[in-house]
Amino acid sequence: HGRIAMMAMLGTFVHNNKWVFDGYISPSQGIKFSDIDSGIGGLFQVPASGLLQILVFCGLVELAWWPATKLDGDYGIRLGKINNWDQEPEKELRQKNAELNNGRAAMMAILGVISQEVWLGQNLYEQASSGNFSPYVDTAAGF
């Protein structure tokens, strides 16, 4: 869940900055990537077949590349000195704890982003540009 939440936060930052793919998300329905709203509302604008493709791809990644049965997070990929756990075993525990903690932080972050969007009706970009980060005080109106 932590990795999914990290990707969700990355997607929030990318999509809220209006970085989108050129072209069509659904050529048969005439829907462009730029037609999809940012925020949680955009999820409901993606055609069902597109959501199914995303789920199938994620399922293949989970089953074939990063199997969910591999609970220790070590998939045998070595990136030089970044995760050379065989030579430096103490680094393994620190890096795994860092990934867990970053995943937990991302889960809380995406929960907060979605909650505030539902509560206030503004996506993260709109909240930041208006300074409206409190659900109890309307800072945009000045009270």
Side-chain angles (χ1 to χ4, degrees), residues 10-115:
L10 179 63
T12 299
F13 296 139
V14 167
H15 204 70
N16 278 233
N17 281 301
K18 308 293 185 213
W19 298 336
V20 297
F21 292 114
D22 291 333
Y24 290 86
I25 190 169
S26 177
S28 62
Q29 296 179 9
I31 302 172
K32 293 183 178 182
F33 283 101
S34 58
D35 295 337
I36 304 295
D37 291 338
S38 61
I40 195 71
L43 179 66
F44 303 106
Q45 294 175 334
V46 176
S49 59
L51 292 175
L52 181 64
Q53 289 174 16
I54 293 169
L55 289 174
V56 167
F57 175 75
C58 291
L60 289 173
V61 168
E62 281 289 324
L63 293 173
W65 189 18
W66 292 336
T69 57
K70 189 87 171 138
L71 299 177
D72 65 357
D74 183 6
Y75 299 105
I77 301 170
R78 296 291 175 255
L79 303 171
K81 294 185 177 186
I82 294 174
N83 62 349
N84 59 344
W85 297 339
D86 299 331
Q87 291 82 21
E88 299 180 55
E90 69 278 357
K91 193 186 268 188
E92 178 179 12
L93 181 62
R94 186 182 65 76
Q95 287 179 332
K96 287 181 179 181
N97 281 334
E99 183 178 5
L100 280 173
N101 289 332
N102 290 339
R104 290 173 182 144
M107 285 187 274
M108 294 306 295
I110 195 65
L111 178 66
V113 167
I114 291 171
S115 298

Side-chain angles (χ1 to χ4, degrees), residues 124-137:
L124 184 61
Y125 175 79
E126 293 164 342
Q127 292 172 34
S129 61
S130 69
N132 193 9
F133 282 105
S134 174
Y136 306 109
V137 177

